[in-house]
Amino acid sequence: MDDLNALAEEHLTAARASAHGRSAHLLIQEPPLRQTVIALTSGSALDEHNAPPAASLLVLRGTVRLTAGSGDTELPAGTLHPVPQERHGLLALQDAVVLLTAVND
């Protein structure tokens, strides 16, 4: 069993030490399910990329902006939000950790 709070702290510390301001940990990979903890320092981003067939973001810490052609959405800690079925990106508005759950084909 994984402790999400401990993983969030560990990867936020690693992101702060990283030149790119990011750290990630693959938590579960049981096809088609994949869950990843992603930590981003304030101002760091995941560049625009394609969406998997189904995905959601759970914001564990901080605040992020999910960017997409259909509009941007600000997500504070505690928010669970679907990932849009279009190219999208993620920007940390403050130091943040998210749990990405994706179903891949």
Side-chain angles (χ1 to χ4, degrees), residues 35 55-60 75-83 99-101:
Q35 287 190 304
S56 67
L57 278 177
L58 172 60
V59 183
L60 300 172
L75 305 171
T79 303
L80 176 62
H81 194 276
V83 173
L99 176 64
L100 170 65
T101 300

Side-chain angles (χ1 to χ4, degrees), residues 59-100:
V59 183
L60 300 172
R61 295 194 183 176
T63 302
V64 296
R65 179 177 296 134
L66 183 60
T67 59
S70 61
D72 296 352
T73 306
E74 198 166 304
L75 305 171
T79 303
L80 176 62
H81 194 276
V83 173
Q85 291 298 300
E86 62 184 309
R87 288 185 61 78
H88 63 279
L90 192 67
L91 171 67
L93 301 178
Q94 53 188 220
D95 287 359
V97 182
V98 300
L99 176 64
L100 170 65

